């Protein structure tokens, strides 16, 4: 059963101004890292997957709003002429830290960022309401099902699903450094900071067909789970119960049809606790995977994906189907939040 079809995609990453540019540059294996103007506690430039097109003096909320704009506009290109005729909802993932007060020097950072995104969305679709999910990369697993139910029931004609992330802020760098998670030449088991935004435009198959829109991918299912292990404790990440549960739930339609996936898209950085969790999950879900066993880890080339992870991974899969470089007709993407939440989605090539 198809939960939704992907009819539009957009992204801004350190490797590209559009999703197409980003997907093809990622395909080459080119890294998007460089020394940044931000410094660590030793005064050394922080290695960063940063956006070279944004003024390096801009940080925090203003930067996040600028990052969002181009990805959002790109995803909405297919409906620009008919947006005022559609009932559109928007679900935007934000990093967990934005749920805290006084982040980025703002009293209510999530609300302020969502207001800026709301203004951007309404330039295209005036009646759209933006719903935030400030629970990090995996938060959408626990909010997206309700949004898709609104598509199923006909309450919405289209759903904009996206996320925005930036580590480009002195406070964020300090937090990573205090946690021992900031990448340096002497600390490889770490996060390389990053930033970017991604959106996918979702519709029911019949609505997309009536609108005459090209379908790039099908979103089959969503799974969620919770892990005990996180950056603040010593729980074994080899348990991997949450990620395994999320993958099995998302992969259920593939298992029932005996059509395993050969393409895995992840938000893994270089932190070993997440890599160990992934290794354990793969061993426990072998029935869901088949050759050529391609694993895509964009964060290892463009930096931490944060809340932009899941929409970006879905967009990359859809672009792969669209442009003919997907290694399989079926893919599973997953992402994890620091608090322990895990999310997975199954995506297939359109019929």
């Amino acid at each position: 059963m198809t939960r939704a079809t992907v009819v539009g995609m957009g992204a801004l990453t350190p490797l590209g101004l559009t999703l197409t540019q980003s997907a093809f540059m990622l395909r080459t294996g080119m890294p998007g890292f460089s020394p940044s103007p931000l410094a660590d506690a030793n005064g050394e430039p922080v290695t960063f997957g940063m956006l070279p097109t944004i003024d390096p003096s801009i940080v925090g909320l203003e930067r996040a709003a600028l990052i969002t704009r181009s990805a959002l506009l790109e995803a909405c290109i297919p409906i620009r002429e008919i947006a005022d005729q559609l009932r559109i909802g928007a679900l935007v993932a934000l990093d967990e830290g934005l749920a805290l007060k006084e982040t980025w020097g703002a009293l209510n950072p999530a609300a302020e960022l969502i207001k800026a995104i709301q203004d951007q969305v309404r330039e295209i679709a005036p009646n759209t309401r933006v719903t935030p999910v400030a629970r990090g990369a995996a938060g959408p697993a626990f909010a997206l099902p309700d949004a898709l139910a609104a598509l199923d029931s006909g309450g919405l004609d289209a759903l904009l699903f996206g996320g925005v992330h930036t580590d480009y802020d002195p406070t964020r760098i300090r937090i990573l450094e205090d946690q021992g998670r900031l990448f340096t030449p002497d600390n490889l088991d770490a996060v390389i900071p990053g930033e970017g935004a991604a959106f996918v435009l979702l519709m029911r198959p019949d609505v997309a067909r009536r609108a005459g829109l090209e379908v790039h991918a099908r979103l089959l299912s969503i799974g969620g789970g919770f892990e005990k292990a996180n950056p603040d404790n010593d729980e074994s990440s080899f348990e991997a119960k949450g990620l395994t549960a999320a993958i099995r739930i998302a992969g259920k339609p593939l298992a029932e049809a005996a059509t395993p996936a050969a393409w895995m898209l992840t938000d893994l950085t270089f932190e070993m606790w997440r890599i160990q969790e992934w290794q354990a999950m793969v061993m426990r879900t072998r029935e869901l995977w088949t050759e050529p066993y391609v694993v895509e880890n964009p964060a290892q080339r463009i930096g931490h994906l944060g809340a932009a992870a899941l929409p970006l991974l879905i967009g990359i899969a859809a672009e792969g189907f669209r442009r003919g470089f997907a290694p399989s007709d079926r893919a599973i993407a997953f992402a994890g939040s620091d608090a322990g939440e895990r999310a997975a989605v199954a995506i297939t090539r359109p019929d």
Side-chain angles (χ1 to χ4, degrees), residues 56 89 130 185 260 287 301 341-342:
V130 176
E287 72 281 1
R301 280 168 281 166
E341 294 171 331
R342 298 292 180 266

Side-chain angles (χ1 to χ4, degrees), residues 135-329:
R135 295 169 64 174
F142 306 91
L144 195 51
D146 287 342
L148 293 177
L151 282 182
D152 292 339
S153 68
L156 291 176
D157 297 316
L159 174 68
L160 267 170
F161 168 47
V164 59
H165 168 74
T166 181
D167 290 311
Y168 195 87
D169 186 85
T171 301
R172 170 63 175 163
I173 296 302
R174 227 173 16 250
I175 290 171
L176 285 174
E177 195 164 23
D178 290 345
Q179 293 175 333
R181 301 177 67 197
L182 182 65
F183 175 89
T184 68
D186 298 321
N187 186 29
L188 305 182
D189 178 7
V191 171
I192 297 181
E195 59 182 355
F199 282 83
V200 290
L201 181 64
L202 305 175
M203 281 186 174
R204 289 200 326 267
D206 60 309
V207 176
R209 188 165 50 249
R210 287 199 302 271
L213 299 179
E214 182 182 358
V215 171
H216 306 302
R218 295 188 301 144
L219 197 157
L220 290 190
S221 52
I222 307 158
F226 295 87
E227 292 288 353
K228 293 180 183 178
N230 65 54
D232 298 322
N233 64 36
D234 295 322
E235 296 282 350
S236 172
S237 57
F238 280 113
E239 275 197 19
K241 291 180 178 179
L243 180 58
T244 300
I247 294 290
R248 282 181 173 156
I249 294 168
K252 185 177 179 181
L254 301 180
E256 290 176 343
T259 54
W263 195 11
M264 184 188 303
L265 300 105
T266 89
D267 70 332
L268 295 177
T269 60
F270 295 101
E271 290 189 290
M272 284 307 300
W273 68 282
R274 287 291 312 279
I275 293 174
Q276 291 165 352
E277 177 189 291
W278 162 70
Q279 291 170 334
M281 176 276 295
V282 171
M283 293 303 296
R284 293 169 189 163
T285 60
R286 284 177 293 177
E287 72 281 1
L288 293 175
W289 311 106
T290 189
E291 295 179 351
Y293 300 107
V294 173
V295 181
E296 197 93 50
N297 302 315
Q300 295 181 355
R301 280 168 281 166
I302 59 175
H304 186 217
L305 303 178
L310 215 53
L312 178 62
L313 299 176
I314 294 171
I316 290 171
E319 192 70 10
F321 298 143
R322 179 188 185 192
R323 303 292 180 177
F325 63 79
S328 169
D329 290 343

